Amino acid sequence: MRKLVPASCPTADQRPEAAEQRPATAGFAETLHGAIEASGLSLDRIRTELDRQGVRVSVTTLSYWRRGRSQPERASSVRAVALLEELLGLPGSTLSGLLGPPRPRGRWVGGAAQDSLPVATIWPEEQRIAEVFAELDAPPIGELERLSVHDACYVDADRFGSQLRTRQVVRATTAGVSRCLVVHQADEDAGGCPELTSVRHARLGRVRRCPEIGLLVAELLLDRPLGLGDSTVFEYEVELPPGGPTTVYGRRFAAPVREYVLQVHFDPTAVPVHCERYERDPGAVVDRVRERLWIGASASAHVLATEQQPGQSGIRWEWE
């Protein structure tokens, strides 16, 4: 994977105009966003500079701060705000003085789901995903409540999982929701990236591919902007790049889902000798749950999870 090696960041006295472009009545998010735009610095360069000064803040967190999705509350985050003021050429307390009290916690606050996790927590081993989310200005995950997610994975006679069909039922937790991002990653030994096909009840927007890690991040534009409480259904298919025999399919969840159904359909001429479901906590590499699954006469297995929590859920199998 190619790593960004940013040049040294401009000092505060090189950008005196940053503070002047801030609207007089702006809040924390608006002020931070204006200062970043005026500085010309990317979020990755800002992250690198903060890290050099001993404060670690992810690109996703910086993106959430500038969009008003969240605000700095921890001690390390407040320290980052002071460094941001210096880095962006703002007078002292310009940003810190705009921080209100800690936001209330809980699932429903102001109509939006608040227990979603940053993408960097769900994919800790793939920093590139967080960078792509920031590049596409990803909408907050909690803007769409997932009422139902149904994945159907198809494994052919050559033991290769070549196709995935997905159907999601979602409901807006705020007004004006018009898009969402989906992430799919191929097996390690696959040659290329997954590709979205046959999108229904939405249309394909911007797409980012990272062939070196088999990653696809795609923007789906909904049929219409959703008002608060509005629901919609969208479907799409994914063609998976060729590789070795497939032995697992799983989905990572950044927010709770009311109902998750996963079906794996095997070709009747190539049925595994063992099949099991698994669950993992967010960012974990060890299973929290493992249960054997029966492959029925239809040569398929499935799992049903109600009130699926953030983390991973999937099915893995073994060939003879």
Side-chain angles (χ1 to χ4, degrees):
M1 187 188 311
R2 182 175 63 88
K3 296 184 178 179
L4 299 177
V5 183
S8 58
C9 297
T11 58
D13 59 357
Q14 290 176 300
R15 298 185 310 280
E17 72 280 5
E20 298 174 2
Q21 296 186 16
R22 175 175 52 91
T25 58
F28 175 83
E30 293 83 0
T31 302
L32 177 60
H33 176 76
I36 291 174
E37 289 295 301
S39 73
L41 298 174
S42 69
L43 293 183
D44 188 68
R45 289 186 64 189
I46 293 174
R47 177 195 63 80
T48 300
E49 181 64 18
L50 293 177
D51 186 67
R52 287 209 311 237
Q53 299 189 52
V55 175
R56 292 193 172 185
V57 179
S58 70
V59 169
T60 301
T61 297
L62 290 171
S63 177
Y64 282 174
W65 287 356
R66 75 185 297 189
R67 299 183 74 254
R69 171 67 177 85
S70 63
Q71 69 177 31
E73 293 178 1
R74 298 178 180 176
S76 59
S77 298
V78 174
R79 168 61 177 157
V81 171
L83 293 175
L84 282 171
E85 290 170 342
E86 179 181 352
L87 179 64
L88 299 174
L90 298 173
S93 300
T94 298
L95 293 173
S96 57
L98 296 173
L99 290 176
R103 296 185 176 186
R105 301 292 182 180
R107 178 166 186 179
W108 295 102
V109 180
Q114 297 295 311
D115 51 359
S116 59
L117 299 176
V119 66
T121 301
I122 300 301
W123 297 84
E125 74 278 20
E126 297 293 3
Q127 175 64 30
R128 182 62 181 134
I129 297 178
E131 294 170 355
V132 173
F133 266 57
E135 177 187 342
L136 297 178
D137 193 22
I141 294 172
E143 282 189 352
L144 283 177
E145 179 190 12
R146 263 67 179 184
L147 301 178
S148 175
V149 177
H150 186 175
D151 288 335
C153 178
Y154 294 84
V155 182
D156 61 24
D158 295 324
R159 303 181 176 183
F160 171 62
S162 58
Q163 186 181 60
L164 171 70
R165 296 176 182 172
T166 292
R167 179 178 184 268
Q168 296 194 25
V169 182
V170 298
R171 180 166 57 195
T173 63
T174 187
V177 181
S178 60
R179 65 191 182 102
C180 67
L181 299 186
V182 296
V183 179
H184 290 277
Q185 188 172 31
D187 292 340
E188 292 183 0
D189 59 351
C193 298
E195 294 295 337
L196 257 66
T197 62
S198 304
V199 178
R200 293 177 290 277
H201 312 302
R203 59 189 176 90
L204 192 59
R206 293 171 293 177
V207 176
R208 298 293 184 269
R209 300 175 181 85
C210 303
E212 67 276 12
I213 55 174
L215 176 71
L216 172 81
V217 179
E219 179 184 53
L220 294 183
L221 306 176
L222 305 180
D223 274 351
R224 63 181 178 87
L226 302 180
L228 175 62
D230 288 349
S231 63
T232 190
V233 179
F234 60 84
E235 303 171 339
Y236 61 86
E237 296 181 6
V238 180
E239 292 183 1
L240 302 173
T246 304
T247 58
V248 63
Y249 175 80
R251 177 177 283 273
R252 305 193 188 200
F253 298 90
V257 174
R258 294 283 186 88
E259 177 189 82
Y260 177 55
V261 179
L262 167 59
Q263 293 177 290
V264 179
H265 301 275
F266 301 99
D267 187 280
T269 64
V271 177
V273 296
H274 178 79
C275 188
E276 65 182 18
R277 67 179 287 256
Y278 71 91
E279 291 185 6
R280 291 183 179 181
D281 291 326
V285 296
V286 177
D287 297 338
R288 179 175 60 84
V289 172
R290 293 179 65 180
E291 295 179 355
R292 184 162 186 171
L293 293 177
W294 182 263
I295 300 178
S298 61
S300 66
H302 82 279
V303 295
L304 167 65
T306 57
E307 301 301 331
Q308 171 71 50
Q309 296 303 304
Q312 297 184 47
S313 181
I315 295 177
R316 65 167 66 95
W317 54 92
E318 297 178 18
W319 303 105
E320 62 182 359

